[in-house]
Amino acid sequence: MGIINATPDSFYGGSRAATQSVALEKANTMIQEGAFILDIGGQSTRPGSVQIGANEELDRVVPVIESVKKAFPSTLISVDTYHPHVAIAAVHSGADIVNDISGGRFEDNMLSTVASLNVPYICMHSRGTIETMHEKPASNNIITELLDYFIERIDACNQAGIKDIIIDPGFGFGKTIEDNFTLLKEMEALQILRKPLLLGVSRKSSIYQTLKITPEESLNGTTVLNTVGLMNKAMILRVHDVKEAVQAIQLYQMMK
């Protein structure tokens, strides 16, 4: 899954595509490098970002989704949003998957909206509200916390009528660096949920703060952690750098 951000302020500049032409160029490169899914978002959720309204987010993502889907109709597109209004417009414009950092908690009718759209749903773990989700309270056991969260959220998704659920542990969202590495090391335990697992560690702060480098210098660290994630049963890698992620997958598959 390649990341395309229709935003001016995402934490990694290399993912930004503020115009349709830039987005199309990025999409073409990622597809040539082996991306099966393109994740298009119109709102930065990095720590310290200012959240925009649903209408502005919609204005950013819909033209990009339409143009990318027209140019590459066989490539799956996920829309990265927690707004039902945006999810509806995105799917009607060509998006195939809804990717929600809130797990349906920020908007009351998000889950029922996704169910009505009849598309797969990526349910991410996060804590608190949109204002507090990056606070980092201590966790006694991050795996137990995630299992409890996903059991409740999967049930809510099922009750709403969502048929296809993918889970995302939410690396970097309200978790300490220690939590993130514990989660990566013990991630295979989430297989008990019997849902495909998405891993999103690409260029995140657990890498660059640990190594005392910048997001721009974090490709090698990303590849290392993606490889660990594959060994611990990740099924989808959400990345800024598709070529290197595909190479990691190919080498892991050869080792297997």
Side-chain angles (χ1 to χ4, degrees):
M1 175 187 280
I3 302 167
I4 298 177
N5 287 317
T7 62
D9 59 341
S10 296
F11 80 94
Y12 173 56
S15 71
R16 298 173 195 160
T19 66
Q20 291 181 55
S21 60
V22 173
L24 283 169
E25 184 179 342
K26 285 185 177 297
N28 182 57
T29 298
M30 288 178 169
I31 291 165
Q32 293 300 316
E33 291 176 344
F36 284 90
I37 309 169
L38 298 176
D39 190 48
I40 298 173
Q43 180 145 221
S44 174
T45 52
R46 63 176 173 80
S49 61
V50 176
Q51 299 302 292
I52 60 172
N55 288 335
E56 186 176 350
E57 183 182 332
L58 188 153
D59 290 342
R60 290 179 179 181
V61 298
V62 165
V64 172
I65 290 171
E66 287 178 339
S67 59
V68 170
K69 197 65 175 181
K70 182 178 179 180
F72 310 102
S74 61
T75 298
L76 295 174
I77 293 176
S78 63
V79 59
D80 186 352
T81 187
Y82 54 82
H83 288 298
H85 183 47
V86 177
I88 293 169
V91 171
H92 289 165
S93 300
D96 306 280
I97 303 166
V98 173
N99 181 12
D100 178 9
I101 64 165
S102 81
R105 297 181 303 105
F106 293 169
E107 298 281 349
D108 289 340
N109 58 336
M110 184 60 162
L111 297 184
S112 59
T113 296
V114 174
S116 71
L117 294 169
N118 197 31
V119 295
Y121 179 63
I122 300 172
C123 178
M124 196 191 84
H125 172 267
S126 58
R127 294 182 174 125
T129 65
I130 191 62
E131 292 81 19
T132 64
M133 65 179 176
H134 286 295
E135 294 177 3
K136 299 177 181 178
S139 175
N140 291 327
N141 188 317
I142 190 66
I143 293 294
T144 300
E145 179 181 333
L146 261 67
L147 285 171
D148 288 344
Y149 173 90
F150 281 123
I151 288 167
E152 188 275 329
R153 287 287 85 197
I154 289 168
D155 182 62
C157 290
N158 289 334
Q159 293 290 335
I162 297 173
K163 299 181 180 68
D164 267 316
I165 304 166
I166 298 161
I167 60 171
D168 176 355
F171 282 89
F173 281 80
K175 299 172 183 69
T176 64
I177 290 177
E178 291 77 11
D179 283 342
N180 286 317
F181 279 100
T182 298
L183 176 54
L184 186 65
K185 182 172 68 173
E186 300 179 12
M187 193 171 63
E188 188 173 355
L190 298 178
Q191 282 217 297
I192 195 172
L193 299 166
R194 301 181 69 180
K195 300 295 179 189
L197 185 61
L198 182 148
L199 178 68
V201 295
S202 185
R203 296 183 181 267
K204 286 188 173 176
S205 59
S206 289
I207 298 170
Y208 61 78
Q209 289 181 12
T210 297
L211 299 177
K212 296 178 172 54
I213 55 176
T214 65
E216 288 70 25
E217 298 171 302
S218 297
L219 174 55
N220 184 59
T222 297
T223 303
V224 171
L225 297 194
N226 277 336
T227 303
V228 174
L230 290 168
M231 295 174 72
N232 288 331
K233 309 304 181 183
M235 297 295 291
I236 301 171
L237 300 180
R238 181 180 184 271
V239 298
H240 300 94
D241 310 278
V242 171
K243 181 177 72 173
E244 291 79 1
V246 169
Q247 289 175 347
I249 291 167
Q250 290 171 333
L251 292 172
Y252 172 71
Q253 288 176 334
M254 181 61 74
M255 184 187 75
K256 292 289 285 184

